Amino acid sequence: MNTQFKKGVLELVVMMVVAKKDIYGYELVKEVCNIVHVNEGTIYPLLKRMTNESIFETYLQESTEGPPRKYYRITVRGLDVMKEIKREWIEFSNSINKFIEENKEV
């Protein structure tokens, strides 16, 4: 998939995954990769930025398999941001899909 397409939708995908349930980083990477294949190194800086922007909050939870895990939870602000980005994405993708349908011969 085109790298620029991934960049454009990755933030929304990450927010939607976290909105479904609190999740730790590695599990989040696996779930996101089921939708959009990305490098693990791409997700963690995004999580840090989104946490700094109060889209996510974090907490530690003990693990039976090693050290405590950092979990991500979407905030009320994050839900608002996600809804707006989702609305914009749907509007944008509908517009592009309509354009493609109208120009099938090209």
Side-chain angles (χ1 to χ4, degrees):
M1 178 184 284
N2 182 300
T3 304
Q4 294 302 315
F5 291 169
K6 288 181 192 181
K7 285 181 184 178
V9 75
L10 186 58
E11 190 172 307
L12 176 59
V13 170
V14 168
M15 283 190 280
M16 291 182 71
V17 169
V18 177
K20 287 192 306 186
K21 65 178 182 178
D22 294 3
I23 193 167
Y24 63 94
Y26 180 70
E27 184 181 20
L28 175 65
V29 170
K30 288 191 319 186
E31 287 205 25
V32 168
C33 282
N34 287 333
I35 302 157
V36 178
H37 183 71
V38 291
N39 182 312
E40 183 176 340
T42 303
I43 299 289
Y44 288 103
L46 181 61
L47 288 172
K48 182 169 178 46
R49 180 179 58 78
M50 294 172 85
T51 300
N52 289 341
E53 294 174 355
S54 300
I55 291 171
F56 297 142
E57 56 189 18
T58 63
Y59 62 93
L60 291 177
Q61 185 168 317
E62 291 298 320
S63 170
T64 58
E65 303 168 6
R69 293 179 173 156
K70 182 189 283 188
Y71 276 76
Y72 295 85
R73 174 187 303 136
I74 197 161
T75 62
V76 172
R77 179 182 185 282
L79 288 171
D80 290 341
V81 170
M82 181 188 72
K83 288 174 187 171
E84 179 59 22
I85 292 173
K86 187 176 174 183
R87 185 196 61 74
E88 290 174 0
W89 176 262
I90 290 169
E91 185 178 304
F92 172 75
S93 62
N94 285 343
S95 176
I96 296 300
N97 288 337
K98 181 179 177 197
F99 175 78
I100 290 170
E101 281 297 313
E102 291 171 352
N103 292 278
K104 285 181 185 179
E105 69 282 349
V106 177

